[in-house]
Amino acid sequence: MYFTEYLPRLNTISVVTDVSQGFKIEEISGVSLIAPQELSIQAKDAPPIQIKLPVSITELKISGVRLSSKTLSFSVKLSSASQSTVPFTDQTIEQWSCKDLTKTPKLGNHHSFKFVCRNCQQQLIDSSRFNFKDMPSELWYEMMDFWHCHKPENHEEHKKDYKGVLKPDGDTIIIGGYYLLERENPGIVREDATLVCKKCRWSLGEMYQDVMRIFKWNILLEYEETGRVVRENYNPGLFVYNLIVDKINSTASRKFKVVVDSKETYLWVMNLGVNVCVGGTVHDNALKVLLTDKVEKEDDYELLDIPYGQICKDFIQDLSATNKLLPKSIQSLSMGSNKFIVSYLSYK
Protein backbone atom coordinates (compact mmCIF):
# COMPACT_ATOMS: atom_id res chain seq x y z
CA MET A 1 0.00 0.00 0.00
CA TYR A 2 1.12 3.56 -0.61
CA PHE A 3 -0.10 7.10 -0.01
CA THR A 4 0.82 10.41 -1.62
CA GLU A 5 -0.32 13.92 -0.68
CA TYR A 6 0.23 17.30 -2.29
CA LEU A 7 1.24 19.89 0.31
CA PRO A 8 0.74 23.28 -1.38
CA ARG A 9 2.15 25.41 1.44
CA LEU A 10 5.41 23.46 1.34
CA ASN A 11 5.18 22.98 -2.43
CA THR A 12 6.01 19.30 -2.02
CA ILE A 13 4.45 15.89 -2.44
CA SER A 14 4.70 13.54 0.53
CA VAL A 15 5.16 9.86 -0.34
CA VAL A 16 4.63 6.95 2.08
CA THR A 17 4.76 3.33 0.95
CA ASP A 18 4.88 -0.10 2.53
CA VAL A 19 7.98 -2.16 1.71
CA SER A 20 8.89 -5.78 2.33
CA GLN A 21 10.57 -7.10 5.45
CA GLY A 22 14.33 -6.57 5.30
CA PHE A 23 14.14 -3.76 2.74
CA LYS A 24 17.12 -1.37 2.94
CA ILE A 25 17.53 2.17 1.61
CA GLU A 26 20.91 1.14 0.19
CA GLU A 27 19.11 -1.29 -2.12
CA ILE A 28 17.33 1.53 -3.98
CA SER A 29 19.02 1.82 -7.36
CA GLY A 30 16.95 4.70 -8.66
CA VAL A 31 13.71 6.65 -8.68
CA SER A 32 12.35 7.76 -12.03
CA LEU A 33 9.39 9.72 -13.35
CA ILE A 34 7.60 7.45 -15.82
CA ALA A 35 4.59 9.75 -16.36
CA PRO A 36 3.60 13.25 -15.19
CA GLN A 37 1.64 11.67 -12.33
CA GLU A 38 3.57 8.45 -11.74
CA LEU A 39 7.00 7.57 -10.41
CA SER A 40 8.84 4.28 -10.09
CA ILE A 41 11.19 3.12 -7.33
CA GLN A 42 13.76 0.58 -8.49
CA ALA A 43 15.48 -1.69 -5.97
CA LYS A 44 17.93 -4.58 -6.28
CA ASP A 45 16.40 -8.03 -6.69
CA ALA A 46 12.85 -6.67 -6.38
CA PRO A 47 10.12 -5.57 -8.79
CA PRO A 48 9.77 -1.79 -9.18
CA ILE A 49 7.32 0.03 -6.93
CA GLN A 50 5.06 2.22 -9.06
CA ILE A 51 3.42 5.13 -7.27
CA LYS A 52 0.74 7.48 -8.56
CA LEU A 53 0.93 11.15 -7.59
CA PRO A 54 -2.01 13.45 -6.75
CA VAL A 55 -0.77 16.17 -9.14
CA SER A 56 1.40 16.28 -12.26
CA ILE A 57 5.10 17.13 -12.05
CA THR A 58 7.84 17.63 -14.62
CA GLU A 59 10.96 16.68 -12.65
CA LEU A 60 12.03 14.76 -9.56
CA LYS A 61 13.74 16.44 -6.61
CA ILE A 62 13.70 13.92 -3.76
CA SER A 63 14.61 14.69 -0.16
CA GLY A 64 14.08 13.36 3.35
CA VAL A 65 14.28 9.66 2.51
CA ARG A 66 13.51 7.61 5.63
CA LEU A 67 12.90 3.96 6.42
CA SER A 68 11.07 2.96 9.60
CA SER A 69 10.17 -0.67 10.11
CA LYS A 70 8.47 -1.60 6.82
CA THR A 71 7.58 1.95 5.75
CA LEU A 72 9.55 4.02 3.24
CA SER A 73 8.84 7.76 3.10
CA PHE A 74 10.26 10.76 1.26
CA SER A 75 9.30 14.13 -0.20
CA VAL A 76 9.24 15.33 -3.79
CA LYS A 77 10.03 19.03 -4.09
CA LEU A 78 8.13 20.84 -6.84
CA SER A 79 9.97 23.42 -8.91
CA SER A 80 6.84 25.61 -9.13
CA ALA A 81 3.36 25.64 -7.64
CA SER A 82 1.42 22.74 -9.15
CA GLN A 83 -2.02 24.22 -8.66
CA SER A 84 -3.81 26.78 -6.58
CA THR A 85 -5.58 25.71 -3.41
CA VAL A 86 -9.35 25.65 -3.27
CA PRO A 87 -10.92 28.57 -1.36
CA PHE A 88 -12.32 27.39 1.97
CA THR A 89 -15.90 28.37 1.11
CA ASP A 90 -15.80 26.75 -2.36
CA GLN A 91 -15.06 23.18 -1.34
CA THR A 92 -18.54 21.72 -1.75
CA ILE A 93 -18.98 19.60 -4.86
CA GLU A 94 -22.14 20.87 -6.54
CA GLN A 95 -23.00 18.07 -8.94
CA TRP A 96 -25.96 18.96 -11.19
CA SER A 97 -26.01 22.58 -10.04
CA CYS A 98 -26.92 25.16 -12.68
CA LYS A 99 -23.21 25.75 -13.27
CA ASP A 100 -22.47 22.04 -13.58
CA LEU A 101 -25.34 21.55 -16.05
CA THR A 102 -23.72 23.97 -18.50
CA LYS A 103 -21.48 21.04 -19.52
CA THR A 104 -24.46 19.68 -21.48
CA PRO A 105 -24.94 20.70 -25.14
CA LYS A 106 -26.58 24.04 -25.79
CA LEU A 107 -29.52 24.34 -28.17
CA GLY A 108 -30.59 27.93 -28.70
CA ASN A 109 -30.90 29.65 -25.34
CA HIS A 110 -31.13 26.44 -23.32
CA HIS A 111 -28.90 23.51 -22.48
CA SER A 112 -30.29 20.16 -23.60
CA PHE A 113 -30.50 17.37 -21.02
CA LYS A 114 -32.97 15.10 -19.28
CA PHE A 115 -33.40 13.61 -15.84
CA VAL A 116 -34.55 9.99 -16.05
CA CYS A 117 -35.50 7.26 -13.60
CA ARG A 118 -32.39 5.46 -12.41
CA ASN A 119 -34.14 2.09 -12.56
CA CYS A 120 -35.97 2.10 -15.91
CA GLN A 121 -34.56 5.25 -17.63
CA GLN A 122 -38.07 6.64 -18.13
CA GLN A 123 -37.88 10.36 -18.87
CA LEU A 124 -38.98 12.48 -15.92
CA ILE A 125 -37.73 16.00 -16.69
CA ASP A 126 -36.91 17.58 -20.07
CA SER A 127 -34.75 20.70 -19.74
CA SER A 128 -36.49 22.41 -22.67
CA ARG A 129 -39.66 22.79 -20.60
CA PHE A 130 -38.21 24.33 -17.44
CA ASN A 131 -36.13 27.09 -15.94
CA PHE A 132 -33.61 25.88 -13.38
CA LYS A 133 -32.54 27.77 -10.26
CA ASP A 134 -30.09 26.82 -7.52
CA MET A 135 -31.15 26.61 -3.90
CA PRO A 136 -29.14 29.30 -2.05
CA SER A 137 -27.74 26.83 0.51
CA GLU A 138 -28.56 23.53 2.16
CA LEU A 139 -28.71 25.52 5.40
CA TRP A 140 -31.16 28.01 3.86
CA TYR A 141 -33.94 27.22 6.33
CA GLU A 142 -31.65 27.76 9.32
CA MET A 143 -30.32 31.00 7.89
CA MET A 144 -33.83 32.29 7.16
CA ASP A 145 -34.85 31.58 10.76
CA PHE A 146 -31.77 33.36 12.02
CA TRP A 147 -32.23 36.36 9.72
CA HIS A 148 -35.88 36.84 10.60
CA CYS A 149 -35.25 36.39 14.32
CA HIS A 150 -32.17 38.58 14.60
CA LYS A 151 -32.61 41.58 12.30
CA PRO A 152 -30.95 44.34 14.37
CA GLU A 153 -33.64 46.93 13.67
CA ASN A 154 -36.50 44.60 14.62
CA HIS A 155 -37.26 44.72 18.35
CA GLU A 156 -40.76 43.29 18.08
CA GLU A 157 -41.78 39.72 18.77
CA HIS A 158 -40.72 37.55 15.85
CA LYS A 159 -43.35 36.26 13.45
CA LYS A 160 -42.27 34.23 10.42
CA ASP A 161 -43.37 35.88 7.20
CA TYR A 162 -42.08 33.19 4.87
CA LYS A 163 -43.55 29.74 4.30
CA GLY A 164 -40.54 27.69 5.37
CA VAL A 165 -39.73 26.27 1.93
CA LEU A 166 -38.94 27.59 -1.50
CA LYS A 167 -41.78 26.51 -3.77
CA PRO A 168 -41.12 26.51 -7.51
CA ASP A 169 -43.80 27.57 -9.95
CA GLY A 170 -44.93 25.21 -12.69
CA ASP A 171 -42.16 26.24 -15.08
CA THR A 172 -39.30 26.16 -12.59
CA ILE A 173 -37.22 23.46 -10.93
CA ILE A 174 -35.12 24.39 -7.90
CA ILE A 175 -31.85 22.48 -7.57
CA GLY A 176 -30.62 21.68 -4.08
CA GLY A 177 -27.42 19.98 -3.07
CA TYR A 178 -28.97 16.50 -3.16
CA TYR A 179 -32.47 16.97 -4.58
CA LEU A 180 -34.68 18.69 -7.15
CA LEU A 181 -37.82 20.57 -6.10
CA GLU A 182 -40.72 20.39 -8.54
CA ARG A 183 -44.34 21.44 -8.25
CA GLU A 184 -45.79 18.43 -10.13
CA ASN A 185 -44.70 15.76 -12.59
CA PRO A 186 -46.90 13.45 -14.72
CA GLY A 187 -44.23 10.73 -14.66
CA ILE A 188 -44.21 10.58 -10.86
CA VAL A 189 -46.96 9.30 -8.59
CA ARG A 190 -47.45 9.49 -4.85
CA GLU A 191 -47.66 6.49 -2.56
CA ASP A 192 -48.48 8.12 0.77
CA ALA A 193 -45.60 10.57 1.30
CA THR A 194 -43.25 8.68 -1.04
CA LEU A 195 -42.70 9.59 -4.70
CA VAL A 196 -42.28 6.71 -7.17
CA CYS A 197 -41.75 6.35 -10.90
CA LYS A 198 -45.11 5.91 -12.62
CA LYS A 199 -43.66 3.27 -14.97
CA CYS A 200 -41.61 1.01 -12.67
CA ARG A 201 -42.53 2.18 -9.13
CA TRP A 202 -38.88 2.94 -8.31
CA SER A 203 -38.62 5.19 -5.26
CA LEU A 204 -37.69 8.71 -6.34
CA GLY A 205 -38.17 10.96 -3.33
CA GLU A 206 -40.73 12.37 -0.95
CA MET A 207 -43.36 15.06 -0.59
CA TYR A 208 -42.19 17.96 1.52
CA GLN A 209 -44.64 20.77 2.33
CA ASP A 210 -46.65 20.08 -0.84
CA VAL A 211 -43.56 20.10 -3.05
CA MET A 212 -41.99 17.12 -4.80
CA ARG A 213 -38.47 16.55 -3.48
CA ILE A 214 -36.69 14.21 -5.91
CA PHE A 215 -33.44 12.77 -4.57
CA LYS A 216 -30.56 12.97 -7.02
CA TRP A 217 -29.32 9.47 -6.16
CA ASN A 218 -32.58 8.00 -7.49
CA ILE A 219 -32.32 9.56 -10.95
CA LEU A 220 -29.78 9.90 -13.77
CA LEU A 221 -28.69 12.92 -15.78
CA GLU A 222 -28.89 12.09 -19.49
CA TYR A 223 -27.41 14.13 -22.35
CA GLU A 224 -25.60 13.68 -25.66
CA GLU A 225 -21.86 14.11 -26.06
CA THR A 226 -20.05 13.64 -29.38
CA GLY A 227 -22.89 11.55 -30.76
CA ARG A 228 -23.31 9.23 -27.79
CA VAL A 229 -25.75 9.21 -24.89
CA VAL A 230 -24.20 9.90 -21.48
CA ARG A 231 -26.01 8.81 -18.33
CA GLU A 232 -24.48 10.23 -15.17
CA ASN A 233 -25.33 9.06 -11.66
CA TYR A 234 -25.08 10.85 -8.32
CA ASN A 235 -23.22 9.19 -5.46
CA PRO A 236 -25.39 9.62 -2.33
CA GLY A 237 -22.29 9.95 -0.15
CA LEU A 238 -21.82 13.34 -1.76
CA PHE A 239 -24.85 14.52 0.21
CA VAL A 240 -23.06 13.79 3.51
CA TYR A 241 -19.79 15.27 2.21
CA ASN A 242 -21.47 18.56 1.25
CA LEU A 243 -23.47 18.63 4.49
CA ILE A 244 -20.24 18.43 6.49
CA VAL A 245 -18.54 21.16 4.42
CA ASP A 246 -21.61 23.41 4.75
CA LYS A 247 -21.58 22.90 8.52
CA ILE A 248 -17.90 23.78 8.73
CA ASN A 249 -18.39 26.90 6.62
CA SER A 250 -21.41 28.11 8.59
CA THR A 251 -20.61 27.11 12.18
CA ALA A 252 -16.86 26.33 12.14
CA SER A 253 -17.65 22.92 13.68
CA ARG A 254 -15.22 20.15 12.78
CA LYS A 255 -16.27 17.43 15.20
CA PHE A 256 -19.44 15.49 14.43
CA LYS A 257 -21.36 12.52 15.72
CA VAL A 258 -23.47 10.32 13.46
CA VAL A 259 -25.78 7.54 14.56
CA VAL A 260 -26.35 4.50 12.35
CA ASP A 261 -28.44 1.55 13.57
CA SER A 262 -28.17 2.90 17.15
CA LYS A 263 -24.36 2.89 16.85
CA GLU A 264 -22.48 6.14 17.36
CA THR A 265 -19.52 7.11 15.19
CA TYR A 266 -17.44 10.20 15.90
CA LEU A 267 -15.86 12.15 13.04
CA TRP A 268 -13.15 14.77 13.35
CA VAL A 269 -12.49 16.63 10.11
CA MET A 270 -8.81 17.54 10.24
CA ASN A 271 -8.53 19.18 6.84
CA LEU A 272 -10.50 20.05 3.72
CA GLY A 273 -9.59 20.48 0.09
CA VAL A 274 -6.58 18.15 0.16
CA ASN A 275 -5.27 16.34 -2.91
CA VAL A 276 -4.16 12.78 -2.18
CA CYS A 277 -3.77 9.41 -3.85
CA VAL A 278 -4.91 6.34 -1.92
CA GLY A 279 -4.83 2.83 -3.34
CA GLY A 280 -4.07 4.17 -6.80
CA THR A 281 -7.09 6.51 -6.81
CA VAL A 282 -6.60 10.27 -6.81
CA HIS A 283 -8.93 12.14 -4.46
CA ASP A 284 -9.22 15.83 -5.33
CA ASN A 285 -10.71 18.29 -2.86
CA ALA A 286 -10.83 15.55 -0.22
CA LEU A 287 -11.68 15.57 3.45
CA LYS A 288 -9.13 14.20 5.89
CA VAL A 289 -11.25 12.56 8.57
CA LEU A 290 -10.50 10.80 11.85
CA LEU A 291 -13.05 8.18 12.97
CA THR A 292 -13.71 6.38 16.21
CA ASP A 293 -16.62 4.78 18.04
CA LYS A 294 -15.64 6.16 21.44
CA VAL A 295 -14.32 9.53 22.62
CA GLU A 296 -13.50 10.98 26.00
CA LYS A 297 -15.56 14.18 25.61
CA GLU A 298 -18.74 13.39 23.70
CA ASP A 299 -20.12 16.90 24.19
CA ASP A 300 -17.39 18.26 21.91
CA TYR A 301 -19.06 16.53 18.96
CA GLU A 302 -22.10 18.01 17.23
CA LEU A 303 -24.83 15.61 16.13
CA LEU A 304 -24.95 15.52 12.34
CA ASP A 305 -28.59 14.95 11.46
CA ILE A 306 -28.71 12.61 8.46
CA PRO A 307 -32.30 11.45 7.94
CA TYR A 308 -31.37 8.76 5.42
CA GLY A 309 -29.80 5.92 7.42
CA GLN A 310 -28.50 3.80 4.55
CA ILE A 311 -26.71 6.78 3.02
CA CYS A 312 -24.97 7.54 6.30
CA LYS A 313 -24.04 3.88 6.67
CA ASP A 314 -22.54 3.80 3.17
CA PHE A 315 -20.60 6.99 3.90
CA ILE A 316 -19.00 5.46 7.00
CA GLN A 317 -18.23 2.29 5.04
CA ASP A 318 -16.53 4.36 2.33
CA LEU A 319 -14.32 5.98 4.96
CA SER A 320 -13.47 2.61 6.51
CA ALA A 321 -12.67 1.08 3.12
CA THR A 322 -10.32 3.95 2.24
CA ASN A 323 -8.56 3.59 5.60
CA LYS A 324 -7.67 -0.02 4.78
CA LEU A 325 -5.88 1.16 1.62
CA LEU A 326 -3.43 3.34 3.55
CA PRO A 327 0.04 2.12 4.56
CA LYS A 328 -0.11 0.41 7.96
CA SER A 329 1.98 3.09 9.67
CA ILE A 330 -0.52 5.88 8.96
CA GLN A 331 -3.82 4.01 9.30
CA SER A 332 -4.37 5.14 12.88
CA LEU A 333 -3.30 7.68 15.47
CA SER A 334 -3.95 8.55 19.10
CA MET A 335 -4.79 11.88 20.69
CA GLY A 336 -4.78 11.63 24.44
CA SER A 337 -6.96 8.67 25.35
CA ASN A 338 -8.80 8.80 22.01
CA LYS A 339 -7.78 6.34 19.31
CA PHE A 340 -8.78 7.16 15.73
CA ILE A 341 -8.50 5.60 12.32
CA VAL A 342 -7.49 7.94 9.48
CA SER A 343 -9.29 8.28 6.18
CA TYR A 344 -9.66 10.53 3.16
CA LEU A 345 -12.75 11.01 1.08
CA SER A 346 -13.94 12.89 -1.96
CA TYR A 347 -16.64 12.21 -4.51
CA LYS A 348 -15.27 14.50 -7.21
Side-chain angles (χ1 to χ4, degrees), residues 38-67:
E38 189 172 1
L39 59 81
S40 176
I41 303 172
Q42 295 88 39
K44 295 178 181 178
D45 303 321
I49 303 172
Q50 294 186 348
I51 293 177
K52 195 170 184 179
L53 305 176
V55 295
S56 298
I57 62 175
T58 56
E59 59 180 330
L60 277 177
K61 295 181 180 179
I62 294 175
S63 63
V65 180
R66 290 182 295 177
L67 180 64

Side-chain angles (χ1 to χ4, degrees), residues 246-285:
D246 269 341
K247 280 285 188 180
I248 292 173
N249 285 335
S250 62
T251 68
S253 297
R254 289 204 177 211
K255 295 181 177 181
F256 304 100
K257 176 176 70 174
V258 296
V259 181
V260 181
D261 297 334
S262 301
K263 180 183 178 182
E264 296 174 341
T265 300
Y266 298 89
L267 310 177
W268 187 351
V269 181
M270 298 297 291
N271 208 350
L272 298 91
V274 297
N275 295 328
V276 298
C277 182
V278 183
T281 300
V282 173
H283 297 268
D284 291 323
N285 209 21

Side-chain angles (χ1 to χ4, degrees), residues 19-281:
V19 292
S20 59
Q21 184 71 39
F23 183 92
K24 297 179 181 179
I25 291 179
E26 294 78 15
E27 295 177 351
I28 299 176
S29 58
V31 180
S32 58
L33 190 64
I34 58 177
Q37 263 186 270
E38 189 172 1
L39 59 81
S40 176
I41 303 172
Q42 295 88 39
K44 295 178 181 178
D45 303 321
I49 303 172
Q50 294 186 348
I51 293 177
K52 195 170 184 179
L53 305 176
V55 295
S56 298
I57 62 175
T58 56
E59 59 180 330
L60 277 177
K61 295 181 180 179
I62 294 175
S63 63
V65 180
R66 290 182 295 177
L67 180 64
S68 177
S69 184
K70 294 191 292 182
T71 302
L72 176 69
S73 62
F74 57 88
S75 297
V76 178
K77 182 68 176 177
L78 278 62
S79 56
S80 60
S82 174
Q83 62 187 65
S84 58
T85 56
V86 179
F88 183 72
T89 55
D90 291 340
Q91 288 167 347
T92 51
I93 302 171
E94 301 297 349
Q95 187 176 355
W96 302 352
S97 64
C98 288
K99 181 179 179 180
D100 184 51
L101 290 173
T102 60
K103 66 190 175 189
T104 61
K106 192 171 185 179
L107 296 178
N109 295 325
H110 297 276
H111 286 268
S112 178
F113 58 88
K114 299 173 184 177
F115 287 109
V116 302
C117 172
R118 181 168 182 164
N119 185 56
C120 69
Q121 284 78 60
Q122 174 71 15
Q123 177 181 306
L124 300 172
I125 296 170
D126 185 338
S127 65
S128 65
R129 296 185 54 246
F130 296 95
N131 296 313
F132 294 83
K133 297 180 180 179
D134 286 329
M135 175 72 81
S137 167
E138 291 314 309
L139 301 177
W140 179 80
Y141 306 117
E142 292 181 26
M143 291 191 294
M144 285 295 289
D145 277 334
F146 180 84
W147 184 79
H148 280 275
C149 290
H150 301 281
K151 286 191 292 185
E153 71 278 8
N154 184 4
H155 301 288
E156 298 178 1
E157 182 180 354
H158 164 60
K159 292 183 180 179
K160 291 184 180 180
D161 56 2
Y162 70 100
K163 298 185 183 297
V165 64
L166 286 176
K167 292 188 177 181
D169 57 37
D171 298 324
T172 301
I173 289 176
I174 295 176
I175 303 174
Y178 63 97
Y179 57 82
L180 308 179
L181 294 182
E182 187 177 13
R183 177 74 72 173
E184 57 185 19
N185 190 309
I188 299 175
V189 296
R190 292 177 58 174
E191 292 184 353
D192 297 324
T194 302
L195 302 176
V196 299
C197 174
K198 185 176 182 179
K199 181 180 179 181
C200 70
R201 289 307 196 262
W202 174 259
S203 177
L204 295 171
E206 63 188 11
M207 291 299 298
Y208 183 72
Q209 297 190 7
D210 297 324
V211 176
M212 288 185 169
R213 182 155 63 180
I214 304 166
F215 298 136
K216 290 181 179 179
W217 53 80
N218 290 330
I219 58 177
L220 301 173
L221 172 66
E222 181 179 289
Y223 59 95
E224 288 192 7
E225 185 178 68
T226 61
R228 65 185 181 91
V229 176
V230 176
R231 290 192 179 100
E232 182 179 294
N233 72 317
Y234 178 94
N235 190 316
L238 186 53
F239 159 55
V240 186
Y241 174 97
N242 284 337
L243 180 61
I244 289 173
V245 174
D246 269 341
K247 280 285 188 180
I248 292 173
N249 285 335
S250 62
T251 68
S253 297
R254 289 204 177 211
K255 295 181 177 181
F256 304 100
K257 176 176 70 174
V258 296
V259 181
V260 181
D261 297 334
S262 301
K263 180 183 178 182
E264 296 174 341
T265 300
Y266 298 89
L267 310 177
W268 187 351
V269 181
M270 298 297 291
N271 208 350
L272 298 91
V274 297
N275 295 328
V276 298
C277 182
V278 183
T281 300

